[in-house]
Amino acid sequence: MHLAHQFFRSYIKLYRPVVNQVNKLLARYDLHTAQWTVLSLLSREGEMTSAEIAEYQMIEKPSVAKNVKRLHELGHLDVTPGEDKREKRLKLSGDGETLVQEILSELQPLYDELLAGIPKEDIERAVGLLDETYANLMN
């Protein structure tokens, strides 16, 4: 088997079980991973439009719209009109900011457990490798 094939096979083998574990944690908050990625992104990047979120996450706008609608209904997002009447600016509400911090504090032990025994330098190399692979994909 080619090394490249092994690399992506290992990534795929890891991805789904991690998402399942994260979804178990998020279920307590009536959320799932797709919604969490929106909250997490807005926490890191600040105010954005649905179109910007869709582009950043490389997903379809209707998927973002569905998640944004639900997050707004739950009180986690504030929605304000943008410069263009069709555009809405999204940002975390006060409740959303609190929720993100609470979830991050619960995710940290899971991440620490998954990376237990792996030297920091190896984790840094893996992050760099994944970032380089992503850059290659986008070029």
Side-chain angles (χ1 to χ4, degrees):
M1 185 181 307
H2 292 286
L3 187 57
H5 181 77
Q6 288 177 314
F7 173 81
F8 288 105
R9 186 170 162 243
S10 290
Y11 167 77
I12 291 166
K13 185 170 74 173
L14 173 66
Y15 176 78
R16 181 47 59 198
V18 170
V19 168
N20 289 341
Q21 288 293 314
V22 171
N23 275 330
K24 283 181 191 176
L25 184 146
L26 295 173
R28 296 192 299 254
Y29 299 95
D30 195 25
L31 297 173
H32 54 73
T33 305
Q35 294 163 334
W36 167 243
T37 59
V38 171
L39 292 173
S40 179
L41 177 62
L42 291 172
S43 176
R44 287 189 318 275
E45 300 295 324
E47 194 173 282
M48 299 176 84
T49 65
S50 289
E52 290 169 335
I53 293 169
E55 182 179 334
Y56 187 93
Q57 294 183 327
M58 294 189 300
I59 58 175
E60 300 296 321
K61 290 178 191 175
S63 297
V64 172
K66 179 181 172 185
N67 289 320
V68 163
K69 180 181 179 197
R70 179 66 179 143
L71 291 168
H72 183 63
E73 289 169 353
L74 291 170
H76 304 318
L77 294 182
D78 289 334
V79 180
T80 57
E83 294 174 22
D84 181 334
K85 291 181 181 181
R86 297 168 295 169
E87 179 181 86
K88 292 185 174 99
R89 303 295 301 171
L90 310 168
K91 69 177 186 175
L92 293 178
S93 66
D95 174 63
E97 290 175 12
T98 301
L99 178 67
V100 167
Q101 293 310 310
E102 188 175 332
I103 292 172
L104 285 172
S105 71
E106 289 194 40
L107 282 173
Q108 193 60 52
L110 171 64
Y111 294 158
D112 289 344
E113 180 182 329
L114 294 174
L115 295 172
I118 302 173
K120 180 181 175 187
E121 297 78 23
D122 289 349
I123 296 168
E124 290 169 347
R125 270 196 301 272
V127 169
L129 177 64
L130 290 170
D131 287 347
E132 287 179 43
T133 304
Y134 177 79
N136 289 342
L137 177 66
M138 300 313 297
N139 288 329

